[in-house]
Amino acid sequence: MSDVLELVEARLRTALGEPDARAAVTFLGTDRIEVLRFVGDGVVRYATLGMSAQPMADPTAVLADPLRGPRAELVLSVRPGSAETDKVLRPLAVLAASPQVEGLIVAPGASLDVGEPLWPGAAFTSVLVSAPGGLVEDLELDEPLEPVRFLPLLPMTPNEAAWKRVHGAEALEERWLKHGTDLRDPLRKGVPLDG
């Protein structure tokens, strides 16, 4: 499936430019996950490369289909300079490996938690998976393979994550919008959740 990853990397380069750094992480029993860093327009974007090599499988299925199933990569966008956001590489790789390790299907509206700050001093330990299609277009693959979707990640504080579990992803996104929340600010505080 290395050809899938070559196509994915080409799509990322087309959408985001040349990466200025990359790091690779391999977890026991999983394929290698890379995280590419793209800098431009006052934003740093971190994109995973490797999650889409295999389709995500339904954890209740007796046998995983080696061809069919959703495929995705993760993209996180933050403003540079005010926090050590490059330390997010390992947490991002952990999230990208979760379909292989935990049998998760990562889809828009899902919450993913790493159990520790995404970078030193971050108020965020989890992310909300947002809808694809804005920043990086889906990558169509030959049948019967499903397209690779590039899923934006929106960092959440623990309180926001708990509120989202009760009220849903859409309600949290509406609250962020209502309060003009800068989701790319690595030092932002949680959005007001009462009232």
Side-chain angles (χ1 to χ4, degrees):
M1 282 301 162
S2 62
D3 54 336
V4 169
L5 296 184
E6 288 170 17
L7 294 170
V8 167
E9 184 168 353
R11 175 58 54 94
L12 287 168
R13 288 172 186 266
T14 299
L16 306 176
E18 286 299 310
D20 75 333
R22 66 195 307 145
V25 180
T26 305
F27 302 100
L28 188 63
T30 67
D31 295 331
R32 171 180 151 127
I33 302 286
E34 287 188 88
V35 180
L36 311 183
R37 184 180 71 186
F38 300 87
V39 179
D41 299 327
V43 177
V44 178
R45 292 188 170 90
Y46 301 94
T48 63
L49 180 63
M51 182 176 168
S52 62
Q54 304 295 327
M56 292 181 271
D58 181 343
T60 63
V62 177
L63 287 175
D65 189 319
L67 297 176
R68 290 180 181 79
R71 292 174 189 261
E73 295 291 352
L74 308 175
V75 181
L76 174 71
S77 301
V78 293
R79 222 177 302 300
S82 58
E84 288 183 83
T85 55
D86 280 351
K87 303 282 186 181
V88 78
L89 299 177
R90 184 168 177 78
L92 267 183
V94 168
L95 295 178
S98 60
Q100 288 183 57
V101 174
E102 300 173 40
L104 294 179
I105 293 183
V106 178
S111 300
L112 301 174
D113 196 318
V114 293
E116 61 185 37
L118 293 175
W119 51 81
F124 321 107
T125 60
S126 63
V127 293
L128 173 64
V129 180
S130 192
L135 188 61
V136 185
E137 287 184 29
D138 293 352
L139 173 65
E140 297 294 333
L141 300 173
D142 293 337
E143 291 287 336
L145 306 183
E146 291 187 29
V148 177
R149 292 186 162 60
F150 298 87
L151 302 172
L153 300 180
L154 308 175
M156 293 189 293
T157 66
N159 285 345
E160 289 171 340
W163 195 88
K164 180 253 174 197
R165 279 192 294 277
V166 174
H167 299 281
E170 191 175 315
L172 178 59
E173 291 189 71
E174 286 172 9
R175 189 158 284 261
W176 281 333
L177 193 61
K178 174 183 169 188
H179 289 275
T181 306
D182 181 1
L183 296 172
R184 293 179 177 170
D185 179 357
L187 300 177
R188 79 169 177 86
K189 304 292 183 221
V191 72
L193 298 170
D194 49 350

